[in-house]
Each structure stands twice: as C-alpha cells, then as structure tokens.
Amino acid sequence: MAAISPATATTAASLSLPQLSSSPSSLSSPFSLSFKTVAVGSRCVRCGVRSLENQSGHRSLDFLSNGDPISLINPNSSSSPISMSASASESGSKCSKRVCLFHSDETRDLAERIVAQSDCIELRSINWKKFDDGFPNLFIQNAQGIRGQHVAFLASFSSPAVIFEQLSVIYALPKLFVSSFTLVLPFFPTGTSERMEDEGDVATAFTLARILSNIPASRGGPTSLVTFDIHALQERFYFGDTILPCFESGIPLLKNRLQALPDSDNISIAFPDDGAWKRFHKQLQHYPTIVCNKVRMGDKRIVRIKEGDAEGRHVVIVDDLVQSGGTLIECQKVLAAHGAAKISAYVTHGIFPKSSWKRFKLDTKGDPAEGFSYFWITDSCGLTVKEVMNKPPFEVLSLAGSIASALQV
C-alpha cells in the first residue's frame, strides 16, 4: 500500500485496506473506511474514521509523511489516562454547524480531544512567537479561509503572563468576517482568592469580565463565552450585554464516574463549606449529603461537620476548585474521625500552585485518614493535568465532550 502524506490526504476520502493490525485487537479481513483529516503537525495528519465495513466503533488514524506504518488507535480504550464521557462521544452525530477551533499552546491537548468528539469541529492553528523585546509575534494561519465560518478559541488564562497574547488573538478573530465567534475559557481564574473587605480592594474578576465583554462583535452578533463552574456565583453578573456567557458544569462528569464505581450505592457527598453546598447541592440532590464548615477556635479555624453522617460511607468531597488543598485535607481528617469507610474528592479546577497536589496521598491501607481513594479533576487546567497524569489518587475527567456539545448550540 502506498504511503499517504499530509500533502496527498483530503478532508474526506476512503481507503480499501487488505490488512491492518491494531492493539488491543487486530483486523485481518478486507474492509473499507472513510475518514476526515486534521493537520496535527508538519509530519502528521490525524484522520477520524467515520465508518468501518466490518467493524463498529470510532477509530483514528495517524498518517506519517515519512512512510511509517499506519497505526489504528481506539480513543475509547480503557488504557487512556483521561476519562471521556460516554454520552459526550455521541456529539459527533449531532452536527448543527461546522466550527473552526483555534487554541492556545497550553490547551492543545484538550483541543485535540474536542476535535475527536465531533466530525463538525476542525482544528486550526496559530503561530505563537515572540519578538526580541519579548512582546507577542502572532500569526493566524489561513485567516482568509475562515471567512463566513463559525469560529471558536480555546483559551487558558493560567497566569497573567499569557493573558495578553491570547486577548490579542481573541480580539482579532471576530474581525476576520466570521459568522460567529465563541470563546471557550474552561477556568475563569480571577476572583478565586480576593476578598472585597476594605476600601481600596480591587475586584480583578470584574476587570477581566469587562475586558471580555468588549470583544468585537462578529457578523453573527456578540461573542459567546463558555466557562465551567465559575468560583463566585455573583461573577456571572459582572459581564456586560455585549457578550453571551454560557455557564457549564463539570458535575455531570462526576455523576457518570460515581455511577461506575463498585460501591456506587454507598456514596455520600460532602461539601467543605456552605458556598460549595449552595453551588452544587441541586445537581447532587440524589445522594446523601454532609455539610462541613469552618469555626474559629481562638486563633485557629477548624473544620467540623455541620450536618450529615459519614459513618461507613464512601464520602466524596466536592468543590469547584483547589489551590493549596488545606481545606480539603482538614475535611478528610474530620470525615475519617466520624467513621467514613473511604474518602475521595472532586474539583472541577485543579490549580495546585507550587505543586501542592503532592500533599494528596493514595489510601493504600484502607485508612481514609491517611489518603484518598480517588481525586478527580477535569482538564480545565492543562498544566496541572500534565503534572498529575498517571499519579494516583488523581484521575482526569475530560471536558472535551461537554465543550464539543456547547459549540453546537
């Protein structure tokens, strides 16, 4: 069989292959396939298989331009270190519009997972470089090719150092005569630690919301913003009328994962404070709940159980984000002291500054006071995912399917 290179691959084509070996299974009988291609790099074109004559299921192919063998990859394989929602993978069959998806450097992996979820989303690229003085040198590839297209940008505002260069692209894309523009910002970073207590405190969350509210309109109207589990509920009202925020949640991913556990009938949900209870209890109302709170004892603030019973239960602590992890660990200790059989945790946004994730150990001795059975996070913070990948108790639940569905709205 002749080698297929990115130069000869098309956006839609079919092949008849006499033999194709794969892992974990192999196919020996002749079959035909149809595929779409996505440019991944200068040497590789990634092709999503749409149909197999004698085998069901979605597959992807990597065609290498140097003539290396074709590899057949099953993205639904259990060996994948990132869990994908089963319902999300069906989004490819619900195609209401075609979307060109751009991304930052940090969100490349998540962008590729999103594209794998839907035949209607096409990966596009940007050259992220810097001039000698350190300022961004940016170039949107094939800018004329996105005229009249639905365009989205997958952003990561993980630090102030990367926000300016991404804002420059975000402000430029809607002005390229596109049909619509959607900004996907899985984690809205500001406002997670600030407290407005004294005259002179600056609300940076309001500042960022105003910046995003002034993104230029596209041909189709105002920019749409997709974000997940924003930290302070009042922040959703910081945005102006010139942007359309869509507030999504990672909790459905957690519920799917809990249903797959062998002790799913023994789960209780614990909230570390009243704020977490207000944010999530309606989505998790079918589980017994435990509410913790902090009380001041002299110069110290300790965590105690306000309501609920942990005795003999697999207790899952749920919050929107974690930074140092001090509150979660205090909750772990008090829940273990009240008889919890297992303790796990879920946060949508695993920030973990200064590698604070290392504080969380795996329970290897059946003692929940010493470690966690599971610690679930989503891939909203790409840098954290790379650090904790394949390091128990951490397990990553991907937002790719949820984002792919949101882009079809």
Side-chain angles (χ1 to χ4, degrees):
M1 182 183 65
I4 298 177
S5 69
T8 59
T10 59
T11 56
S14 62
L15 288 175
S16 179
L17 303 180
Q19 286 189 343
L20 181 63
S21 62
S22 65
S23 179
S25 62
S26 62
L27 304 173
S28 58
S29 59
F31 64 94
S32 62
L33 56 87
S34 63
F35 59 88
K36 73 165 186 175
T37 64
V38 178
V40 178
S42 60
R43 296 177 57 251
C44 178
V45 172
R46 179 153 297 157
C47 305
V49 179
R50 290 173 175 166
S51 63
L52 294 173
E53 183 177 297
N54 66 346
Q55 179 151 323
S56 61
H58 179 81
R59 300 292 189 271
S60 63
L61 295 174
D62 285 350
F63 293 116
L64 301 180
S65 59
N66 61 2
D68 291 342
I70 294 175
S71 59
L72 180 61
I73 305 165
N74 180 0
N76 297 321
S77 169
S78 60
S79 62
S80 172
I82 298 183
S83 300
M84 309 293 286
S85 170
S87 59
S89 65
E90 299 171 359
S91 61
S93 62
K94 303 175 182 178
C95 184
S96 60
K97 62 183 179 182
R98 304 199 68 83
V99 179
C100 299
L101 178 62
F102 293 88
H103 58 85
S104 67
D105 270 348
E106 290 182 16
T107 57
R108 172 181 292 275
D109 291 344
L110 176 54
E112 291 180 352
R113 289 191 285 271
I114 294 170
V115 170
Q117 293 288 302
S118 174
D119 290 339
C120 300
I121 302 175
E122 183 178 344
L123 198 64
R124 297 298 183 94
S125 59
I126 296 171
N127 292 341
W128 301 91
K129 298 181 180 179
K130 293 185 182 297
F131 292 108
D132 291 341
D133 60 2
F135 275 83
N137 177 11
L138 310 172
F139 181 75
I140 300 171
Q141 296 186 22
N142 193 22
Q144 289 188 338
I146 63 173
R147 289 182 177 180
Q149 303 293 316
H150 299 286
V151 173
F153 181 78
L154 180 62
S156 174
F157 292 174
S158 59
S159 73
V162 299
I163 292 179
F164 176 70
E165 62 181 16
Q166 291 182 64
L167 283 175
S168 300
V169 170
I170 291 167
Y171 270 58
L173 284 171
K175 301 172 72 174
L176 293 176
F177 216 62
V178 301
S179 289
S180 69
F181 180 65
T182 301
L183 171 62
V184 182
L185 183 63
F187 172 48
F188 188 84
T190 53
T192 58
S193 301
E194 61 193 23
R195 299 288 184 271
M196 299 297 102
E197 297 176 345
D198 298 315
E199 187 69 26
D201 285 337
V202 177
T204 59
F206 181 62
T207 302
L208 182 58
R210 284 195 296 177
I211 292 173
L212 298 182
S213 297
N214 284 282
I215 297 172
S218 64
R219 289 176 60 194
T223 293
S224 299
L225 169 67
V226 178
T227 192
F228 287 80
D229 291 323
I230 200 164
H231 179 62
L233 297 180
Q234 67 267 22
E235 289 177 7
R236 64 182 58 208
F237 302 108
Y238 290 174
F239 297 93
D241 295 335
T242 52
I243 193 169
L244 304 175
C246 176
F247 299 102
E248 299 282 359
S249 178
I251 294 298
L253 300 176
L254 171 65
K255 292 169 69 175
N256 288 341
R257 186 65 183 93
L258 293 180
Q259 291 170 6
L261 294 178
D263 57 350
S264 59
D265 58 345
N266 193 43
I267 299 292
S268 289
I269 302 296
F271 300 107
D273 52 40
D274 289 331
W277 178 85
K278 290 177 182 178
R279 186 177 294 108
F280 296 126
H281 81 278
K282 289 185 178 179
Q283 297 185 72
L284 296 165
Q285 59 185 334
H286 299 298
Y287 292 96
T289 58
I290 301 167
V291 181
C292 302
N293 65 358
K294 293 180 180 180
V295 295
R296 186 172 295 279
M297 301 289 290
D299 294 334
K300 296 181 180 181
R301 297 183 69 186
I302 63 172
V303 175
R304 68 179 185 183
I305 294 180
K306 178 181 177 181
E307 59 181 77
D309 184 10
E311 181 70 32
R313 307 288 292 180
H314 181 176
V315 181
V316 180
I317 307 170
V318 175
D319 208 349
D320 63 315
L321 60 84
V322 59
Q323 295 214 40
S324 67
T327 299
L328 287 184
I329 289 177
E330 290 302 315
C331 284
Q332 172 200 6
K333 292 178 180 178
V334 71
L335 289 168
H338 282 75
K342 295 181 181 178
I343 297 175
S344 297
Y346 165 86
V347 296
T348 303
H349 311 295
I351 305 171
F352 295 118
K354 300 179 181 179
S355 298
S356 58
W357 58 269
K358 294 180 180 178
R359 301 179 64 183
F360 295 90
K361 308 300 182 182
L362 176 67
D363 178 11
T364 58
K365 300 179 180 179
D367 183 358
E370 297 298 322
F372 289 79
S373 297
Y374 300 94
F375 199 125
W376 294 291
I377 64 173
T378 74
D379 45 3
S380 66
C381 301
L383 297 179
T384 297
V385 170
K386 292 179 179 178
E387 289 188 8
V388 306
M389 187 71 72
N390 298 319
K391 293 183 175 66
F394 291 98
E395 184 177 310
V396 180
L397 308 178
S398 181
L399 296 172
S402 301
I403 294 173
S405 297
L407 292 178
Q408 292 299 309
V409 174

